[in-house]
């Protein structure tokens, strides 16, 4: 009954490789997000999707491409991985529209620790 | 522009003592305010939020936070700290405008590491 799940939990790969991280939520939310948490624990938003439409696209290298096949899924594909991409990536979801009480609370997945060698 | 400041990188407190983790914000209009907690090697967990109404908000695990509009603060408090409260705490703010690129968007502080020693 996990609310927001991510796979894989750990990802170790070589520079230059292409990798994907998957995210699924079973909360019925209409908005999903990707965050990057660096080694200093700073959280930076990367993307958000609402009903499969890209809403937030922060200054992120073009090597990062999100894909939302449906409202419950938001995957992150990374091309040509670099050392600086090593971080923990968190997926989150929230109800973007609707009543005041529901709006805004984001629920986070457990994170994917990416290590680029 | 919306922003959140957590002025302390680290807060240390003895078990049984009260704790406060500070947060100030800058946002146009009246914001929605949140606290999240991150335990080691885990995702962020929602603790509490202020939407409207009573300035004192009660949340999970005995935590509470007080919204102070004049001081633009939303400090997290607990009357009696536990060792198990040791974690990284994030304050976040959301604009009440909820459309376009602001849809659901949270602005996070840099986090405060709380250590409760026995």
């Amino acid at each position: 009954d996990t609310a927001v799940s991510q796979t894989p939990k750990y990802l170790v790969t070589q520079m230059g490789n292409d990798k994907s991280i998957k995210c699924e939520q079973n909360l019925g939310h209409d908005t999903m997000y990707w965050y990057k948490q660096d080694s200093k624990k700073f959280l930076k938003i990367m993307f958000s999707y609402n009903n499969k439409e890209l809403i937030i696209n922060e200054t992120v290298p073009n090597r990062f491409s999100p894909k939302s096949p449906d409202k419950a899924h938001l995957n992150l594909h990374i091309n040509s991985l670099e050392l600086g991409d090593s971080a923990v990536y968190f997926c989150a979801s929230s109800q973007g529209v609707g009543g005041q009480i529901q709006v805004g609370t984001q629920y986070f997945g457990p994170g994917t620790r990416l290590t680029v060698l | 522009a919306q922003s959140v400041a957590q002025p302390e990188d680290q807060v240390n407190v003895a078990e049984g003592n009260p704790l406060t983790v500070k947060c100030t914000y800058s946002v146009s209009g009246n914001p929605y305010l949140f606290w999240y907690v991150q335990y080691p090697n885990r995702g962020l967990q929602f603790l509490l939020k202020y939407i409207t109404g009573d300035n004192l908000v009660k949340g999970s695990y005995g935590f509470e936070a007080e919204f102070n509009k004049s001081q633009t603060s939303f400090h997290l408090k607990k009357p009696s700290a536990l060792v198990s409260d040791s974690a990284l705490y994030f304050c976040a703010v959301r604009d009440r405008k909820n459309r376009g690129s602001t849809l659901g968007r949270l602005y996070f502080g840099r986090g405060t590491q709380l250590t409760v020693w026995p």
Side-chain angles (χ1 to χ4, degrees), chain A residues 9 31 33 35 37 41-43 45 50 55-56 58 90 96-97 100-101 103-110 113, chain B residues 32 34 36 38 41-44 46 49 51-52 88 90 94 96 98 100-106 108-110:
Chain A
K9 191 167 170 64
T31 307
Y33 311 80
Y35 288 87
Q37 187 175 46
K41 307 295 185 183
F42 181 57
L43 271 171
I45 190 164
N50 173 254
I55 299 295
I56 296 173
E58 287 293 281
F90 287 104
V97 294
Q100 267 195 350
I101 301 303
V103 171
T105 303
Q106 291 186 18
Y107 294 89
F108 283 75
R113 183 174 293 276
Chain B
Y32 296 137
F34 301 81
Y36 285 82
Q38 185 178 22
N41 300 315
R42 304 283 292 275
L44 275 72
F46 168 71
K49 68 182 175 187
I51 300 294
T52 189
L88 186 60
F90 289 95
R94 212 210 81 187
R96 283 183 185 257
N98 194 37
S101 63
T102 65
L103 186 70
R105 181 170 186 159
L106 289 180
F108 282 90
R110 296 189 70 91

Side-chain angles (χ1 to χ4, degrees), chain A residues 13 15-17 19 63 78-82 85 114 116:
Chain A
T13 187
M15 263 177 25
N17 284 352
K19 290 292 178 187
R63 300 180 294 103
I78 316 170
N79 289 328
S80 303
L81 278 154
E82 301 178 358
D85 297 333
L114 171 65
V116 182

Side-chain angles (χ1 to χ4, degrees), chain A residues 4-113:
Chain A
V4 183
S5 59
Q6 294 178 230
T7 53
K9 191 167 170 64
Y10 299 97
L11 187 52
V12 181
T13 187
Q14 300 284 335
M15 263 177 25
N17 284 352
D18 303 339
K19 290 292 178 187
S20 291
I21 308 172
K22 296 186 176 181
C23 177
E24 177 181 3
Q25 54 94 4
N26 62 6
L27 297 166
H29 289 162
D30 62 2
T31 307
M32 296 183 72
Y33 311 80
W34 277 110
Y35 288 87
K36 179 180 180 180
Q37 187 175 46
D38 62 22
S39 57
K40 294 185 178 177
K41 307 295 185 183
F42 181 57
L43 271 171
K44 180 184 169 178
I45 190 164
M46 301 172 70
F47 304 102
S48 81
Y49 270 73
N50 173 254
N51 285 320
K52 302 197 299 173
E53 181 185 347
L54 181 64
I55 299 295
I56 296 173
N57 185 359
E58 287 293 281
T59 307
V60 174
N62 290 339
R63 300 180 294 103
F64 290 80
S65 54
K67 279 194 171 53
S68 182
D70 55 57
K71 281 198 314 183
H73 295 85
L74 180 62
N75 303 323
L76 184 65
H77 188 76
I78 316 170
N79 289 328
S80 303
L81 278 154
E82 301 178 358
L83 293 176
D85 297 333
S86 296
V88 181
Y89 292 84
F90 287 104
C91 176
S93 74
S94 72
Q95 187 59 23
V97 294
Q100 267 195 350
I101 301 303
Q102 292 87 2
V103 171
T105 303
Q106 291 186 18
Y107 294 89
F108 283 75
T112 296
R113 183 174 293 276

